Amino acid sequence: MKFITVVVGSLFALTSCEKNPEPPKQLISQDLAKDLNQRYIRERSGIIEQSINRLDANAAWYSIEELESYLYYAKCEAKKSNKEINGIRFYLGVYPNDTVTYQHKAGLTTIFLSPTMKRVNVLKNENTMQRFQSRPATEENVDVTEVQPLNYGGMGHPPKIEYPTIQ
């Protein structure tokens, strides 16, 4: 199954660049990316490292194949539950302090991915005269718990890395 997933993901990747893509609206400059990372290191990582008495991870790496495979898996698994994936949420977490199971990652920060879908909430009107009428629906992206999250990306050794890495 994994082989098929990787092959399908690779085929998608090969055909998806045939025409010039529209750049995503969320792109940031290299300078801003470096500034954001430096601020994190300066303003957050030191506090965390003092708390756990060692260097902590500040990045995670996933291969293109892993990400494409996961997106394909998440879409297919969600479809089995009649759900449609609309995005991926990135969560920060901390591995249990179990060196047998998690080895050098024990107690360190991790980033895991969770697929999301749109959910429509119908909010009740607070006016008692119209309490059975609904306000306009609001949309939010919620986690699809029928699909397993993706974790175990790579981290540096030591786990701290600065953006950009040396080319």
Side-chain angles (χ1 to χ4, degrees):
M1 174 66 177
K2 184 174 180 169
F3 174 75
I4 293 170
T5 303
V6 170
V7 169
V8 170
S10 298
L11 289 174
F12 175 77
L14 292 173
T15 61
S16 65
C17 294
E18 290 178 4
K19 60 180 182 176
N20 289 333
E22 279 292 317
K25 292 178 178 22
Q26 302 91 335
L27 294 178
I28 62 173
S29 70
Q30 296 293 330
D31 288 340
L32 179 56
K34 185 173 183 173
D35 182 53
L36 293 173
N37 182 246
Q38 290 299 311
R39 284 176 187 276
Y40 178 84
I41 290 169
R42 219 175 32 250
E43 299 173 15
R44 301 286 193 277
S45 69
I47 295 167
I48 294 168
E49 290 165 7
Q50 281 181 333
S51 172
I52 65 172
N53 292 319
R54 64 185 211 177
L55 287 177
D56 193 18
N58 67 340
W61 180 88
Y62 296 91
S63 71
I64 293 294
E65 291 82 15
E66 288 169 323
L67 293 172
E68 288 174 342
S69 176
Y70 183 66
L71 291 174
Y72 180 73
Y73 161 81
K75 288 177 182 180
C76 293
E77 287 297 304
K79 195 175 222 175
K80 291 178 187 176
S81 300
N82 294 320
K83 300 200 169 33
E84 186 175 336
I85 301 298
N86 73 345
I88 298 289
R89 181 172 285 118
F90 292 76
Y91 280 98
L92 294 173
V94 175
Y95 288 107
N97 218 2
D98 174 359
T99 55
V100 173
T101 304
Y102 297 99
Q103 300 163 5
H104 68 280
K105 293 182 180 187
L108 297 180
T109 299
T110 187
I111 297 170
F112 63 93
L113 288 64
S114 176
T116 62
M117 66 179 189
K118 264 187 190 168
R119 179 179 70 188
V120 177
N121 288 335
V122 178
L123 302 175
K124 300 292 180 189
N125 192 318
E126 294 172 13
N127 183 334
T128 55
M129 296 284 289
Q130 299 174 334
R131 68 180 176 181
F132 296 110
Q133 294 179 357
S134 297
R135 290 184 189 167
T138 60
E139 294 179 356
E140 60 182 286
N141 299 314
V142 297
D143 296 323
V144 179
T145 56
E146 292 83 0
V147 179
Q148 292 180 274
L150 178 70
N151 192 16
Y152 304 112
M155 36 187 223
H157 296 282
K160 182 178 266 185
I161 192 166
E162 290 188 31
Y163 180 85
T165 57
I166 298 172
Q167 296 181 5

